[in-house]
Amino acid sequence: MILLRHTLLLLWLTWTATGVAETTILVEAESFAEPGGWVIDQQVMDQMGSPFLLAHGLGVPVKNATTTVEFPQTGDYRIWVRTRDWVAPWKKPDTPADMKAVGTPGKFQVLVDGKPVETTFGTEGAEWHWQDGGIIKISKKIVTLALHDLTGFDGRCDAIVFSTNHELIPPNDIPEMTVFRRKLLGFPESPPETEQYDFVVVGGGVAGTSAAISAARLGCRVALVQNRPVLGGNNSSEIRVGLAGLIHQKPYTKLGDLVDEIGPIGYWNLWEAERDPDSPRSKKIFEVFKKHPEKKIHNAGPPTNYEDQKKIDVVTSEKNIDLYLNTHVNEAETDGNRITAVIGQNIRTGERIKLRGKLFADCTGDGNLGFLAGADFRVGRESKKETGEKLAP
Ligand SMILES: Cc1cc2nc3c(=O)[nH]c(=O)nc-3n(C[C@H](O)[C@H](O)[C@H](O)COP(=O)(O)OP(=O)(O)OC[C@H]3O[C@@H](n4cnc5c(N)ncnc54)[C@H](O)[C@@H]3O)c2cc1C
């Protein structure tokens, strides 16, 4: 096996019984050098096996994602693209007529050196699968690859495989596909390990970011692991939920200091300032609103309202915190009923890392870590029958 790398060249060469070299190359969409208008979605990677690129253009086709791929040999390659037709679940025969989907809103092309592969992708099958793109000629060793969105309506591309073995069908079953991916990416069987942290926080929303900073200031060595490129979770430019909740209220006037330090100045700070207009803090808040009236928009405001960089700056200035952005925790190791380590996977490169710790906090917003560690869980709410609460469902 020979491994070469060029941006994201992922190469596997084997010799067949006839002594002819076969080449198989895996290109992960999330590792494209330039994502263009496509965005990385990691939310269902545990269910479908990988992060993927999504063309969310609200009906306007997004800019091409591009990258360069190096082929060790020119020749005829079979191309496979892992994708799905995301409206296919509404095309089944039993779908009510008024719910029936028509067309293929997630369709896209793959351009090799600017020329579209004949097959249009994202056009078949409700489930993630490898769509056959047929055999194409690669006549140069270095080619540019692009994902060309045709609709702006959520085309999805997970990965592309090129193979000189025209009989090869890439595996789609998650355990088998994981081994296939690791082999082609050249990743070790076991991920490298970190030091043993005092405290590992999984999830970098407002809860996780606050927990990490508090612990670091108490002298703990902390790892903060967040599966997005920004901190803040719902209160980030990516989701745009305004930070709500009154702070600095009597009798607990210090409560909320930390949230205030990392959080953006927004709607509720103005509300507070208007009730105490003469304090130095309120005056500062009025100044901010004079310059930025758009900050009055609480939810779904402009991205700058959520001040992503402010959170990152506070965290990175804490010498006791190691920040792992773009890292999705998808495995937990336990000893008895204690978590001893978590394994995180980089959502762009696929590289894994084992983070060891004495204490762990599940700040994923959804109890993901508890689930991975085998804790009891429930989906939904307790019923009225169970609790006797009159407002329960
Ligand atoms: C539309 C909307 C409106 C709301 N309005 C209000 C309101 O007015 N007032 C109010 O008080 N609350 C409101 N909320 C609720 C509030 O946003 C949440 O309670 C709060 O954001 C929770 O913060 P968190 O840090 O616990 O979780 P989140 O903000 O969800 O952050 C968790 C982070 O962990 C990451 N993560 C998840 N799994 C993993 C993993 N396995 N590995 C690594 N990272 C992971 C996620 O990507 C996310 O960034 C609203 C929520 C929504 C969705």
Side-chain angles (χ1 to χ4, degrees), residues 42 202-208 225-228 232-235 241-242 244-245 298-299 327-330 363-366 368 372:
Q42 87 299 329
V202 180
V206 170
V225 195
Q226 161 71 340
N227 63 9
R228 298 299 308 164
N234 282 330
N235 181 242
V241 172
H298 183 57
N299 291 331
T327 305
H328 178 74
V329 166
N330 52 13
C363 295
T364 61
D366 293 319
N368 288 356
L372 291 170

Side-chain angles (χ1 to χ4, degrees), residues 37-39 41 53-63 86 149 151-156 238:
W38 295 67
V39 290
D41 191 315
L53 279 189
L54 178 78
H56 184 57
L58 293 170
V60 180
V62 305
K63 213 174 138 213
W86 68 269
D149 174 28
T151 64
F153 270 123
D154 300 295
R156 287 139 212 251
E238 296 192 317

Side-chain angles (χ1 to χ4, degrees), residues 110-122:
V110 174
L111 313 183
V112 179
D113 270 341
K115 199 171 155 243
V117 172
E118 221 166 273
T119 309
T120 299
F121 297 97

Side-chain angles (χ1 to χ4, degrees), residues 61-104:
V62 305
K63 213 174 138 213
N64 289 356
T66 55
T67 201
T68 335
V69 181
E70 188 178 328
F71 290 80
Q73 58 187 85
T74 56
D76 289 344
Y77 284 78
R78 179 163 228 138
I79 174 171
W80 295 91
V81 176
R82 193 158 186 261
T83 180
R84 63 187 283 242
D85 169 12
W86 68 269
V87 299
W90 294 278
K91 288 178 179 169
K92 289 186 182 144
D94 59 351
T95 308
D98 59 345
M99 297 276 290
K100 250 210 161 86
V102 284
T104 45

